[in-house]
Structure formats: structure tokens, C-alpha cells
Amino acid sequence: MLILALPGAAWSLYAGLIASAAFFGEQPSPTDHATTTAALLSGASLWLATALLTAVVFRRTVVPVLCGLAAAGFAAAAMSVQPRAPLSTADSAGWLSAWTPPTSWAIVLWGVTALVLSAYGRASRARRRRAAH
């Protein structure tokens, strides 16, 4: 799971750096700063989702703690940008940056599958208990 989150996290960092980079001497606009913040928050949401999923599915502490620390790092980086425009003005490339790679969608698919299988397991156990009585 940790490895699946790396491409999305790297892409959100890249999108954030590109959005706030000064090209050809031109300073980034307030919207560019907002897009950078949105990209970093997107990376934080990916790490947070990965931490929650690994904690629920694997019930171990090492990977969720590492993912939680990465989420905190991304959130701290996002707060250090201090956008000069509201986050609602950020480009969608920032908000969706961590979720564009297919590996991020694999995490989502894995999470949905785990939830469906868990619900199915609970329902079948309940059905067996009712049938036994």
C-alpha cells in the first residue's frame, strides 16, 4: 500500500513545485500559490487515505504511522505556502494531482473491495447465526 501511494505523492509534489515556480522571471500569481497548496493537500489526503486503509485492512502499526507522518508533512508543507488567494481559486490540477496516477485509484479500489468483503462477511455470518437458531 505504501508503494502504491508513492507515485501519487510524487506527482502532487511535482504539480505543486511547477505551479509555484517562477518561469522566465515571472513571479507566480496568487492562484498559482493556491494551486500549490491544493496539490500538497491532495498529497496529504492520499497519505491519510492510505494510512486509514492500511490500519483497517492489515491491523499493523508501522505503515499507518509512516503514512500518517507523510500526511502531516504534506499538510505542514501546504500550510507553509500561505496562498494569497482563496483555495477555491486553485486549479483542478492541484486538487486532483495525487489522485491522477492509476496507483492511487488502485488504493481506492482496494479500499472499496475491503469494505465490500467485510460487509459481505458480516452479513453471511449473521445469516448463518439466524439459520442456526
Side-chain angles (χ1 to χ4, degrees):
M1 293 296 285
L2 183 71
I3 292 172
L4 288 175
L6 289 175
W11 189 254
S12 71
L13 277 176
Y14 176 75
L17 290 173
I18 291 299
S20 65
F23 290 111
F24 307 111
E26 180 181 317
Q27 293 303 313
S29 69
T31 303
D32 293 337
H33 285 291
T35 301
T36 297
T37 302
L40 293 172
L41 288 175
S42 177
S45 71
L46 172 67
W47 283 117
L48 189 60
T50 305
L52 291 173
L53 182 62
T54 54
V56 169
V57 172
F58 298 114
R59 299 177 199 253
R60 295 199 174 113
T61 57
V62 176
V63 173
V65 168
L66 289 175
C67 292
L69 290 173
F74 270 74
M79 294 303 119
S80 71
V81 173
Q82 298 176 356
R84 293 165 187 86
L87 284 176
S88 61
T89 64
D91 188 28
S92 62
W95 287 114
L96 300 175
S97 61
W99 298 99
T100 51
T103 55
S104 299
W105 286 103
I107 292 171
V108 171
L109 183 62
W110 195 339
V112 168
T113 303
L115 288 173
V116 167
L117 290 176
S118 174
Y120 177 75
R122 278 192 224 123
S124 65
R125 280 191 298 271
R127 221 176 317 136
R128 275 188 255 135
R129 275 190 231 125
R130 275 186 266 145
H133 287 62

